[in-house]
Amino acid sequence: MQTVNISGYTFETYPLNTDFNDVSGIYAIYTSQKWLDVGETDKLGQRIISHERRNCWINNAGGLPISLAFLHVESQSQRLNLEASLRNSLSPTCGEK
């Protein structure tokens, strides 16, 4: 398993085309050159496969491989707080701050 440190948190990393289980947590979508998106969910597998910003990720990846970093967080309030913090610090290309 590979990991990446994002703002002091250790996220597990996967290719975007991975089949994910429906687990709760924070995800960050990125390439080797930019942060594309940050979000939270209680069902990762369902969220990623049908994500409304998927085309934004692909259009802004510049042909580079797209990866997903994931941090398991059960509490919705903790997920929402961390999502807001990461959106603010990473300034992803897709989605709202």
Side-chain angles (χ1 to χ4, degrees):
M1 168 185 57
Q2 293 187 333
T3 62
V4 62
N5 184 299
I6 305 173
S7 298
Y9 296 90
T10 302
F11 283 68
E12 296 176 1
T13 61
Y14 305 90
L16 185 61
N17 63 356
T18 301
D19 288 329
F20 297 101
N21 292 328
D22 281 334
V23 292
S24 58
I26 300 289
Y27 59 88
I29 309 296
Y30 66 101
T31 70
S32 61
Q33 296 183 359
K34 69 169 74 171
W35 296 104
L36 299 171
D37 206 351
V38 174
E40 68 85 23
T41 184
D42 63 346
K43 295 182 179 170
L44 182 66
Q46 291 179 39
R47 180 71 176 129
I48 296 304
I49 197 114
S50 61
H51 204 290
E52 70 275 6
R53 292 191 297 268
R54 184 178 273 274
N55 285 338
C56 183
W57 304 341
I58 294 166
N59 292 338
N60 285 279
L64 295 171
I66 300 173
S67 298
L68 181 143
F70 181 75
L71 178 66
H72 180 75
V73 179
E74 282 290 331
S75 164
Q76 184 180 29
S77 63
Q78 288 177 348
R79 291 194 314 262
L80 291 169
N81 288 336
L82 183 53
E83 175 192 25
S85 174
L86 292 175
R87 276 198 167 280
N88 188 49
S89 64
L90 301 177
S91 299
T93 305
C94 303
E96 299 175 7
K97 284 203 174 206

